[in-house]
Each structure stands twice: as C-alpha cells, then as structure tokens.
C-alpha cells in the first residue's frame, strides 16, 4: 500500500519554563492512501495540535511530517501555503467560512487562490454530492450548521487534496446533521479513494473509520 | 474579477461607514495637495500675467538705436516678438507743482507697443493716430494740472539738452544745472485717454517728464526697440543678451564680472552706443519657475506644507487600514489556512488601497481644483473691492497638468505608504489564528495592577477601564497616537500661521493713512480754518496733524541698543551714523490733538499725567545686510530706572566741517511702547511722541510745517475736495490709497489661506479620531457584551466608557501638548532669525482649543458608539463572534 502521510517524532511545546505545556510528545505514525483514520482522546490531549501540524498551519517544536514523501516543514511559508491549498483540505468544528462569500465562492476559494478556473461541471457535481445545489448563492449565515459544514467539506475537497483533515467536524451539530456529514466523508473516502483524518469525541462515529488513534497527554496510546 | 478582489470589494461595501471615512481622508489629503499645487501654479501664472499687464510684455529694451541695430535686433534668432517707441520730445509743463518734474514727455508707441509696454488704461482709449495721445494720471495727482479727455494739447516740443548734449528720462532734473529745450516744434494733440503712470523702464522714478503717449506706425532713425525672448532666449538669457548686444559671449561674461580691461571697455562703449534696460523680473519669472528667488522659496514652503499634509494623511489613512486589518484577522487567517500565500494577502491589502484610491484620488483632485477655483474667485473679489480702479482679475485660475499629475502621484504615494505596514502585518497573520477561537490580542494576565487610588477615586468601573487601557495597549495606541498627532500638528501649525500672519501684518501695515497733505504754515492763507475744513470732510476715518524732527541723541547711560537691533545691524556701518559716532538717535514727533488723545486712550494713559512728557515708540527700521533688506526691530533697551531722557542735538559746524553735539533738553519718560499713534511711520531710530504744545516749545529751529495724514477709503474723491479747499495755496498732496489697499488686501488674503489650510488639517485629524474610536468600540463589542452578561448595568457601563475617555484623552493631551509646543518653538526658530520683532507667541488659544476639542470630540464619538452598542442584544453579540 502506498504511504501518503508519515509523522515522525512530532513534538510541540507551548510556552516557556513554568508555563510550559508539552502538547505533543514525539508522536510518530503513518497513514496509507485511501485510509480513513479517526483520532480520539480527552480534551487537551493534543488532537488539534497534531492536526494543525499535519495540515501545515502551525510549525512543530521538533519532528517531521511527510506528505507524499514531501517534508512539509522544509518548505518556505509561501510554498507551504501553496502546498496546503493543493494537498490538504481542512475542516473545522466552527466551519471557518468567509461570511461575506456565498457557498459557491467559499468552495471555489482554494482553486481561485491558485489562479485557476473551476470547472463548472465539476463544481455542479460536487454541489450535488454535498446537497447544496439549491443553496449555491446563499451566504453562510443563511444556512444551517450542517449546510455550513458541508460547504467547508466542499471547500476541502475541491482540489482533490492528498489528505482531508477534519477537527471535530460534527462537534457543533445535532445527530442527524452529524450522520449526514459522516456519510459525506465516507462517500468521498470510497468514491475518490480520499485519505481522511478525523478528530472526534463520538466513539460511534470513530468506530466507522478504518483505524482509530488514541491520544493521551500528547502521546499515542493506541493505534500507532 | 478574481475572487480575492471580489472579497475586498465586498468587505469595503460591508464596512461602508469606515470605507467612506477612509475615502474622505484620502479625498481631503489629495484635495489639499491639489489645491496647494494648483494655487501655487495659478499664483505663478498670475504673477507672470500681472507683470505683463502692468510692467510690459518684453524682456529687454534697447534705447534709441540706429536703423542698422534696429534691424539686426529685430531679426535676432532669440527674439520672439518686438515693438518700438519713438521719442517726440519734451514740452514745458508751466503750471506743474512738482519742481523736479517740469516737463511733459511725448513719446510714440506702435500698435503692439501700446498693448504690450505695460500701459494701463484708466479711462478713454489708446491713440489711433499721430495726433492723439493718452496722458498719465499723475499729471493730475502729482503735478496737479488738470487735463480732461477730449481736451486739446498745444505743445512746444523740443529736445532736452544739458550743455548741448541731448538727454532723456534717465537724467534727473536738477534745478542747479541749466538745461534747455532745443529744436522746438509746435504740436497739437487730442487727449483720448488716461493711463496709469508707466513702469519705470518707460518713465524712471526720477524722470523729469510726465509721460504723454501717442501713436506711430513706423520706426524713426532712433527708435527704442523692446524685445521679447523666445524659449531659447529665456533658457540661455546671457547668450541671448550678448547676441543682441552683438558682442562676444565671453566678453559679455567678463563685463558682467566687471573684469574688462580699459581697452575692452572703450571698445564696448564705442560698439554699444545705446542704453539697455531689462524687464528683469519678468525675465527671471519666465526663465524658469524655480530660477526665480521668490518662487524658489515659495516652492520650498509649498514642499514643506505638502510634506506635512502627506505625513498627516499617511497617519490618518494608515489607521484605517490598521483597523480594517485587525477586524479581518480571522479572514486573513482563514485565507492563509486554505493556502493563500503572503504575497497574495499583501496584494489583497494593496488592492483595497487601490480601490479606495480609485474613488478617493479623482474625487480629491476634483475637490481640490474646485476649492482652489473658489479660493481664486474669492481672492479676485477681495482684490476687486480693494482695487476698484482696474477691471483686472489678479489671480487667474490655471489647471496645471503637471501639478495634477504630481498630486495624483503624491496621492498614490500617500496611499501606498499608508497601506504598506498593514499589508505586511496582514501577510504575517498565521493561519492558526483563524482556527483558534482565541482573540487576536494577547493579554498578559500578570503584572497589570491598577493603583489603589484609581479604585478609590473612580470605583470598580475605573479599575476595569484602567486595566483595559494597560492590557490592550495596542488597541488604544492607535487612538491615542492619532489624537497626539492631531494635537501636535494643530498646535504647531496654528502657531506657525499666527507667526506668519503677524509678521506679514507688521511688514505691510507700516502706513495707516491713505492721503498726505504737506505745507508750510505761512504758505496757506487762513491755515487754521482750512485745516478744520479738511479734517471735517466726509469720508475722513482718522487723521493726524503731524510734524517730526530728527537729529536728537539720547545721552543716558541706561539706554542701549537692543539685542535685536544689534543683531540686525551687526555687520553694517549704518549703525554708526554718518558722523562716525555710535549715537543713540531719536526723533521727536507730534501728531496733533486728535491723534494724540486717541493714542493716550490706546495706552491707557491720562492726559494730565503726560503733559510735557514723552512717550517712546521704541521701534525702528534698519537695514540688515544678512537679509539684504530692511527689517523692523525693537530699538533700545531701556533700564528701569531711566525716568528722564537727557537729549542732545547734533549740530554741524559749517566752517570747520565738523559736527558736534549740543545739550538740548531733558524730557521725562512716561512710557516705552511698541504701539504707535496714528500717522507716524517707522523711522531709522525710535520716536519720542510729544503733545503739540511741548513739541512746539522744544523744536524751535524748524520752519512751521504741517503734514496732515488722513485715512479714507474715498481718497481720490477727497483729494479733489482738498485741492479745491487749498486752491491757490502752495502745498503738496500724496495719495497712496492703492498701495495701502493692496497691502490690506494681501494681509486679509493671507489670513484666508492660512486659516483655510488649518481647517482642512483639523478635518483630517477629526476624521482620523472618529475612525479609530468608532472602530475600536466595534472591535470591543464582544468584551462589552461579556461585561454586560456578567451583570454590569447600563449606568456602570457608561461610566466605565466615560472614564476610559478621560484616561486616554488625558494621556493624549499630556503627550500631544508638549510635542506641539516643542514643534512650534522649533518652527519659530527655524523661520525667524530672531531679528523679528514678533516674539514667540505662546499658543494659549490653540492649547485651550485642543483640550476642549479633544474631550468634546471623544465624548461625542463615544456617545455615538455606545448608543449603537446599547441597542445590541448581548447574546447575539457574543455568538456573532463565533461565526
Ligand atoms: N496557543 C497555545 N498556547 C499555549 N498552550 C496551548 C495552545 N494551544 C494549545 N495549547 C495547549 O496544548 C494542549 C493541547 O491542546 P489541543 O491540541 O487543542 O487539545 P485537544 O484538541 O485535544 O483538546 C492543551 O493543554 C492546550 O492547553
Ligand atoms: Mg481540539
């Protein structure tokens, strides 16, 4: 199997001296292409930190992350940004959509940042998959939480990235909406052989993944 | 449009209020730059036009040249245009009252010459044939000979000769030297118009003949040719002049340096056998904008002013960007997290600037042009009111393309500088900031302790607001700094303006009268009655009946030249008067009962206290070699215990050819002042003002003489009436209405410009403060909502905000006021070489205005923001933050 992600002795320390917090402590693991991994752990165990590092939105204290063999922290900030928009799709608990852009525009953002045009057919198909076809011109605050989260999934998927990283994507949603989101992620995992790493508190949702990694105090205690 | 750009557009539309405020800032600053440069360029064009109209549209005149030279000059390659005049000759003006101007001087101009020689037609029309003339107005005002349009002049015209040599207008009339008119022919002219006295190129200041101008259509064998240089000639004026003189360029340079050998000099006299005169001012003006001294220094001032505008505006506009970045931190972080590069984000900020500029700069240019147009119209109205005689627009509105381009460029520079830092800051926002729910400003939890006194005085609300100030220093810094900058600039500029205004006023307000009538008492029949009649004429606003006498010397030890005086005259000999000694000169003067009483009132003195005593007007005008100009200074430093002036009089021993001093009198001193009575003009030394009786008793060696000085707006009219009253008597009358009007108009105008400028700078400051405070309040909505959600009442909340206002208003004032005052002192010393009489004016008024304005302004803006916040629902606000 093709290895798509390799995390190597990743360490992240916040603060100094007395205020020092070791959020991640030499975490190592690998993920293969097409895998659906769930990360679980108590609040404050370092899940988000790990995800941010993999997504390249933060830099580690030490350790490395390889995505498709690329050592991402060797990249300059700008190249990392470009790498991120092409190879990583991020999904957050609080959606993080731009409030002043409509659904379609939010989804198109990573492509447009690349200076490319979005293929209208692809976009329409994606919107259909997301169930947002009739909402494409709506602004985020005109949508329900589930719809907003589906928009952010659309944004994560538009560039067919190497990995989709989702930080408690259902944390803010009711169970019906949560199920829909989960279905969507599983669908893209199957249909496009999309690699997905998802943080969740919900053990039932986690159990639907191919593999579960459990963090405790910044260390992997299960599923390495 | 690309998505990022659309994002910017939407952002601007959504934040309409701030967008508008920012655009207003840009408009104001660009408008100000445009207005300053347009007015500058219009001023330049206007002065060129003024010179052409009033002094003539030519650069050089070659006087009475022969035909060969005439043709050579007119065909010279540096000449763009020429006209000529022929001398007809002099004719005795028998009834003339000016002993030094006994002639009429008749000369003829060709058609172009009448238009371009700087003749200003007051009435009638120009001559159209050789039998018609226009006469200059001072034949009536100065010689007091009345000719009217339509009159016929019968003149015996001849050549003016001294010892058989023909002379012209350049040679003064000297009653001691015999001169005569020869080759006399009789001429008959019809007067068709009245002109202003021609410029001194045509009629010298001391010319013996009043100009009478007729028409000609052909040059004579000795015509004067006036030439206007073409572009090339203006650019290489020295080359052009030497070529027109038909001499070697190197020889010309040598001559200019006074380096000619005797032979060369002799040769020169032989070759160049005609007089040459230049309309130098026009030549330097047109030679190049900044070749002209006045415009060079004006240009420097304009550059400084534009610099100030740019700095102020950059600061103001920068604030808007900073705020908008702070607001959009999440947005930029989010963009970064989906992979926007730093460059893209930077570009996005610049794009925002670009969009704002796209609206702001053109509007600013239009507004600036409009404002300067209005300003110019007002100026012309003012001048028209003051200079009713001419139908002439002093300022021409000129849209100068280079000035506009410069304004656009400076506007772009301003915007670029304003957005530069914000762009950098935005591009540095880490993607992680968008993801975390923590706010952008990191608060140091430790170390913020509010002094107990704060809690005691202001209560818990005070403590919270104090901590707020300390913790979120950055948030406040923008607001506090904008207030500081606004205060500092307001104070320094307004005290600079006051200084300029005072200096100019002092410079131009030397003469407070418009009519002066001089006569010896014995030459007027019924002097007393006629004098009464004159001062009671309609339109006499104020008057003084003056006389003055110089040549007195102060002998007191305790009286010394002031520092100002010494500094101003340091390196010139004037100070040692012509007799070689360092005399402390004094002039005695009286101003007549009326003006004297008014003077006492102005000084708050009682008549009985000053009777027989003197008031020292301690003010003099001296030549300063350093400034190459006359400067007005305080004259003496007088010791407090000098109560009586011991005066001597300078006498001259005719036989020994020596001068000596003779004891004169002791006069008690009541007051030393810089205020003067009406009618006295500044002299080379201080002036002692006495009451009439004392003056007449003391000054006995003088012919009884009166000078009646009158301030009147209808001076021309009044002059006629006075002449009627004194008809048949021997007197002279001077009318300086035009000069005085011009100066008063100038002072008024400069006031308008200066204060207009301050107003706009203040507007920029207010825009700035409004912008920062309202946005700051909006940014803190969540914090406010939180405070309310934990139970802070509306009253407590308002109290807290008020205290904050007080805290940072005070802070800004404590820093801003000293900086402003320091700057104004600095400007004062940069602009005056301390020879100025104007002392450093402590800017009480601007300081007071700043204090009041800051608190009023902040309170109003806060109220506005609070009313908006109070309308909002707490939960909404808190949730809104977590979109
Ligand atoms: N910016 C930060 N500064 C200091 N400590 C942080 C920061 N972000 C996270 N932490 C700390 O790191 C640890 C791991 O946090 P996080 O990865 O957010 O945990 P999780 O997502 O599992 O709840 C926690 O103890 C948290 O307090
Ligand atoms: Mg987390």
């Amino acid at each position: 199997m093709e290895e798509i992600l390799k995390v190597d002795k990743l360490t992240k320390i916040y603060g100094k001296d007395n205020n020092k917090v070791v959020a991640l402590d030499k975490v190592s693991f690998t993920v293969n292409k097409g895998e659906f991994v769930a990360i679980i752990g108590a609040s404050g165990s370092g899940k988000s930190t790990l995800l941010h590092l993999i997504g390249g939105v933060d830099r580690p204290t030490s350790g490395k992350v390889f995505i498709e063999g690329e050592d991402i922290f060797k990249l300059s900030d700008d190249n990392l940004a470009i790498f991120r928009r092409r190879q990583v799709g991020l999904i957050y608990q609080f959606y993080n959509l731009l409030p002043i852009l409509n659904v379609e525009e939010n989804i198109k953002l990573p492509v447009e940042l690349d200076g490319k045009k979005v293929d209208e057919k692809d976009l329409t198909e994606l919107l259909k998959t997301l169930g947002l076809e009739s909402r494409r011109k709506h602004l985020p605050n005109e949508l329900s939480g589930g719809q907003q989260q589906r928009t952010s999934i659309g944004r994560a998927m538009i560039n067919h990235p190497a990995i989709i990283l989702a930080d408690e994507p259902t944390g803010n949603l009711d169970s019906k909406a949560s199920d829909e989101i989960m279905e969507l992620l599983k669908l893209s995992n199957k249909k496009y052989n999309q690699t997905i790493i998802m943080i969740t508190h919900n053990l039932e949702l986690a159990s639907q993944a191919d593999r579960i990694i459990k963090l405790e105090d910044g260390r992997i205690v299960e599923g390495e | 449009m690309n998505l990022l750009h659309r994002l910017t557009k939407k952002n601007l539309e959504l934040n309409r209020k701030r967008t508008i405020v920012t655009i207003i800032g840009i408009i104001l600053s660009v408008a100000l730059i445009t207005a300053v440069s347009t007015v500058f360029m219009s001023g330049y064009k206007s002065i060129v036009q003024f010179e052409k109209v009033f002094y003539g549209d030519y650069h050089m005149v070659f006087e009475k040249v022969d035909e060969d030279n005439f043709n050579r000059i007119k065909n010279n390659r540096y000449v763009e245009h020429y006209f000529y005049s022929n001398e007809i000759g002099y004719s005795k003006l028998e009834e003339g009252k000016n002993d030094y101007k006994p002639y009429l001087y008749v000369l003829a101009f060709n058609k172009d010459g009448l238009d371009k020689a700087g003749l200003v037609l007051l009435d009638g029309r120009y001559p159209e044939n050789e039998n018609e003339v226009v006469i200059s107005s001072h034949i009536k005002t100065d010689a007091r000979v009345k000719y009217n349009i339509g009159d016929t002049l019968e003149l015996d015209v001849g050549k003016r000769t001294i010892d058989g040599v023909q002379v012209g207008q350049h040679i003064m009339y000297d009653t001691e030297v015999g001169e005569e008119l020869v080759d006399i022919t009789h001429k008959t002219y019809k007067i068709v118009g009245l002109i202003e006295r021609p410029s001194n190129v045509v009629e010298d200041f001391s010319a013996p003949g009043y100009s009478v101008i007729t028409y000609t259509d052909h040059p004579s064998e000795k015509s004067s040719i006036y030439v206007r240089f073409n572009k090339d000639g203006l650019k290489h004026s020295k080359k052009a002049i030497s070529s027109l003189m038909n001499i070697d360029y190197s020889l010309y340079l040598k001559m200019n340096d006074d380096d000619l050998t005797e032979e060369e000099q002799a040769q020169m006299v032989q070759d160049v056998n005609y007089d040459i005169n230049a309309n130098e001012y026009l030549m330097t003006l047109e030679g190049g904008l900044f070749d002209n001294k006045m415009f060079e220094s004006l240009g420097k001032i304009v550059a400084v002013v534009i610099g100030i505008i740019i700095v102020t505006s950059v600061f103001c506009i920068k604030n808007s960007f900073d705020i908008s970045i702070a607001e959009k931190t999440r947005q930029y972080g989010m963009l970064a997290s989906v992979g926007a590069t730093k460059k893209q984000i930077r570009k996005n900020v610049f794009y925002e600037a670009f969009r704002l500029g796209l609206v702001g700069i053109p509007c600013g240019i239009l507004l600036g042009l409009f404002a300067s147009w209005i300003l110019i119209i007002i100026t012309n109205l003012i001048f028209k009111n003051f200079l009713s005689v001419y139908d002439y627009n002093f300022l021409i509105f000129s849209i100068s393309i280079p000035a506009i381009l410069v304004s656009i460029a400076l506007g772009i520079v301003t915007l670029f500088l304003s957005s530069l830092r914000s762009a950098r800051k935005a591009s540095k926002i880490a993607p992680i900031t968008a993801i975390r729910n923590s706010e952008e400003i990191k608060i140091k939890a430790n170390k913020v302790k509010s002094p107990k006194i704060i809690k005691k005085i202001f209560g818990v609300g005070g403590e919270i607001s104090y901590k707020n100030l300390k913790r979120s220093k950055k948030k406040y810094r923008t607001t506090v700094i904008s207030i500081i900058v606004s205060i500092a600039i307001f104070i320094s500029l307004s005290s600079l303006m006051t200084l300029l205004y005072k200096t100019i006023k002092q410079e131009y307000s030397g003469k407070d009268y418009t009519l002066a009538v001089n006569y010896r008492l014995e030459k007027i029949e019924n002097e007393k009655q006629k004098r009464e009649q004159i001062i009671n004429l309609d339109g006499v606003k104020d008057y003084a009946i003056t006389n003055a006498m110089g040549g007195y010397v102060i002998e007191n030890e305790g009286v010394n030249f002031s520092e100002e005086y010494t500094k101003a005259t340091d390196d010139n000999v004037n100070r040692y008067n012509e007799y070689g000694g360092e005399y402390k000169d004094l002039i005695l003067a009286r101003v007549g009962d009326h003006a004297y009483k008014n003077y006492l009132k102005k000084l708050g003195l009682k008549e009985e206290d000053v009777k027989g005593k003197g008031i020292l007007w301690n003010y003099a005008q001296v030549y300063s070699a350093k400034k190459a100009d006359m400067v007005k200074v305080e004259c003496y430093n007088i010791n407090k215990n000098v109560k009586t002036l011991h005066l001597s009089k300078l006498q001259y021993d005719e036989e020994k050819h020596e001068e000596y001093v003779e004891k004169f009198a002791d006069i008690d001193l009541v007051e030393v002042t810089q205020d003067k009575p009406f009618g006295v003009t500044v002299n080379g030394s201080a002036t002692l003002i006495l009451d009439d009786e004392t003056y007449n008793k003391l000054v006995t060696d003088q012919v009884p003489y009166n000078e009646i000085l009158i301030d009147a707006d209808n001076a021309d009219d009044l002059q006629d009436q006075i002449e009627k009253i004194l008809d048949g008597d021997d007197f002279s009358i001077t009318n300086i209405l035009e000069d005085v009007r011009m100066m008063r108009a100038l002072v008024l105008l400069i006031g308008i410009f200066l204060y207009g400028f301050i107003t706009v700078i203040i507007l920029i400051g207010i825009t700035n403060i409004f912008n920062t405070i309202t946005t700051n309040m909006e940014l803190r909505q969540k914090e406010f909502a939180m405070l309310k959600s934990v139970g802070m009442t509306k009253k407590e909340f308002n109290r807290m905000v008020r205290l904050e206002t007080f805290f940072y208003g005070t802070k800004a004032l404590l820093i801003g006021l000293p900086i402003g005052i320091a700057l104004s002192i600095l400007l004062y010393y940069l602009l005056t070489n301390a020879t100025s009489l104007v002392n450093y004016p402590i800017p009480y008024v601007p300081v007071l205005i700043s204090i009041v304005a800051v608190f009023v302004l902040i309170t109003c803006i806060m109220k506005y923001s609070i009313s908006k916040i109070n309308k909002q629902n707490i939960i909404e606000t808190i949730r809104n933050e977590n979109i």
Side-chain angles (χ1 to χ4, degrees), chain A residues 14-15 21-23 41-50 167-168 199 215, chain B residues 436:
Chain A
Y14 290 110
V21 177
V22 182
S43 179
S45 57
K47 308 182 294 290
S48 297
T49 306
L50 175 61
D167 191 347
E168 298 187 42
I199 295 173
L215 280 181
Chain B
R436 276 205 210 99

Side-chain angles (χ1 to χ4, degrees), chain B residues 65-104:
Chain B
V65 296
D66 55 34
E67 222 176 299
D68 287 348
N69 276 320
F70 188 93
N71 289 325
R72 181 180 58 74
I73 289 169
K74 83 176 197 201
N75 291 323
N76 186 287
R77 69 187 187 92
Y78 291 112
V79 171
E80 180 182 284
H81 187 266
Y82 74 95
F83 59 87
Y84 55 87
S85 69
N86 305 331
E87 172 176 312
I88 309 288
Y90 286 88
S91 161
K92 276 242 155 64
L93 181 63
E94 300 292 353
E95 318 89 85
K97 292 287 192 302
N98 184 338
D99 292 344
Y100 296 95
K101 263 175 132 56
Y103 302 120
L104 292 180

Side-chain angles (χ1 to χ4, degrees), chain B residues 184-367:
Chain B
I184 294 180
T185 50
H186 187 81
K187 301 246 178 184
T188 308
Y189 291 110
K190 187 171 174 235
I191 300 174
V192 295
L194 185 70
I195 55 167
E196 190 72 80
R197 176 188 178 142
S199 77
N200 67 317
V201 174
V202 176
E203 182 180 324
D204 268 293
F205 289 125
S206 54
Y210 295 97
S211 298
V212 170
I213 290 164
T214 180
Y215 169 86
T216 184
D217 56 8
H218 56 274
S220 66
E221 67 273 18
K222 282 277 184 190
S223 283
S224 298
I225 178 165
Y226 299 69
V227 299
R228 185 183 157 75
F229 290 172
N230 54 22
K231 274 213 175 96
D232 225 23
L234 281 166
K235 216 170 171 184
H236 312 286
S237 59
K238 284 185 181 163
K239 272 208 180 110
I241 295 169
S242 64
S243 145
L244 280 162
M245 287 170 71
N246 206 17
I247 58 172
D248 239 25
Y249 182 49
S250 56
L251 198 66
Y252 173 79
L253 291 180
K254 251 171 125 182
M255 180 185 81
N256 254 6
D257 294 343
D258 246 345
D259 255 3
L260 291 184
T261 62
E262 254 168 59
E263 288 138 65
E264 283 170 330
Q265 216 154 5
Q267 189 63 39
M268 180 83 75
V269 172
Q270 210 167 45
D271 290 348
V272 186
N273 56 353
Y274 42 81
D275 276 334
I276 300 171
N277 245 315
N279 197 354
E280 253 170 82
Y281 194 56
L282 185 65
M283 196 140 77
T284 57
L285 266 181
E286 291 196 279
L289 180 53
F290 296 109
D291 286 348
N292 181 280
K293 266 243 169 74
M294 177 175 114
F295 276 93
E296 193 196 323
S297 47
L298 262 181
K300 277 184 197 155
I301 293 177
V302 165
V304 169
V305 165
I306 287 186
I308 291 175
I309 298 171
I310 290 181
V311 171
T312 327
S313 325
V314 163
F315 199 84
C316 166
I317 299 166
K318 185 173 84 84
N319 247 338
S320 300
F321 280 102
D322 271 359
I323 293 162
S324 111
I325 300 307
E327 257 179 355
K328 286 186 295 206
T329 308
R330 276 174 77 87
Q331 180 186 312
Y332 284 121
M334 205 233 86
L335 282 173
S337 79
V338 295
T341 60
K342 286 185 176 173
K343 204 170 143 201
Q344 279 173 320
I345 289 175
R346 244 193 331 264
K347 257 167 100 183
N348 197 240
V349 178
F350 286 133
Y351 179 72
E352 189 175 326
F354 169 75
R355 281 199 73 97
L356 291 169
L358 215 56
V359 182
I361 292 177
C363 287
I365 299 273
L366 289 179
L367 183 69

Side-chain angles (χ1 to χ4, degrees), chain A:
Chain A
M1 267 253 180
E2 190 189 339
E3 179 184 294
I4 200 156
L5 169 73
K6 183 174 175 200
V7 176
D8 187 19
K9 295 196 198 106
L10 209 52
T11 302
K12 178 78 184 180
I13 300 172
Y14 290 110
K16 271 184 195 150
D17 305 329
N18 284 346
N19 293 329
K20 199 160 114 173
V21 177
V22 182
L24 282 183
D25 189 5
K26 293 191 195 122
V27 170
S28 303
F29 65 95
T30 57
V31 174
N32 292 328
K33 185 163 172 60
E35 253 191 307
F36 191 150
V37 181
I39 298 179
I40 58 170
S43 179
S45 57
K47 308 182 294 290
S48 297
T49 306
L50 175 61
L51 209 69
H52 293 152
L53 289 173
I54 297 172
V57 290
D58 204 356
R59 285 182 184 266
T61 311
S62 67
K64 288 176 180 168
V65 170
F66 298 89
I67 294 177
E68 292 194 317
E70 178 95 56
D71 183 348
I72 66 168
F73 298 122
K74 279 223 171 114
L75 297 172
S76 69
D77 279 358
D78 275 350
N79 284 333
L80 186 57
I82 292 166
F83 178 85
R84 196 157 57 228
R85 72 184 172 219
R86 291 181 189 159
Q87 301 295 5
V88 181
L90 276 164
I91 300 167
Y92 311 98
Q93 180 178 357
F94 292 108
Y95 332 126
N96 267 317
L97 300 173
L98 281 181
I100 59 172
L101 295 184
N102 62 30
V103 168
E104 192 183 303
E105 288 167 337
N106 263 298
I107 290 175
K108 276 165 26 179
L109 201 53
V111 185
E112 300 238 359
L113 281 175
D114 245 352
K116 289 188 215 138
K117 273 261 161 308
V118 175
D119 187 283
E120 274 307 310
K121 256 209 317 263
D122 283 357
L123 181 67
T124 313
E125 206 196 303
L126 181 59
L127 285 166
K128 227 181 251 166
T129 316
L130 296 170
L132 289 171
E133 217 190 349
S134 59
R135 303 273 159 159
R136 60 195 296 172
K137 298 289 179 199
H138 286 228
L139 290 175
N141 63 8
E142 297 167 333
L143 300 176
S144 72
Q147 286 167 329
Q148 288 190 49
Q149 193 58 296
R150 275 182 271 152
T151 308
S152 82
I153 292 174
R155 185 178 65 189
M157 286 169 60
I158 186 85
N159 257 340
H160 304 296
I163 311 181
I164 284 182
L165 304 170
D167 191 347
E168 298 187 42
T170 61
N172 220 23
L173 300 174
D174 60 29
S175 60
K176 184 167 166 280
S178 297
D179 289 344
E180 280 171 22
I181 296 298
M182 201 54 205
E183 286 311 311
L184 209 54
L185 290 175
K186 281 197 319 209
L187 181 72
S188 77
N189 177 244
K190 293 273 131 49
K191 193 167 164 189
Y192 304 109
N193 197 24
Q194 179 71 59
T195 316
I196 297 175
I197 300 177
M198 178 184 78
I199 295 173
T200 181
H201 273 120
N202 190 325
L203 284 178
E204 199 230 318
L205 292 183
S207 64
Q208 298 177 37
D210 301 336
R211 172 147 76 109
I212 296 178
I213 293 176
K214 189 171 179 195
L215 280 181
E216 229 166 68
D217 290 336
R219 282 179 214 169
I220 297 184
V221 293
E222 214 180 291
E224 205 157 338

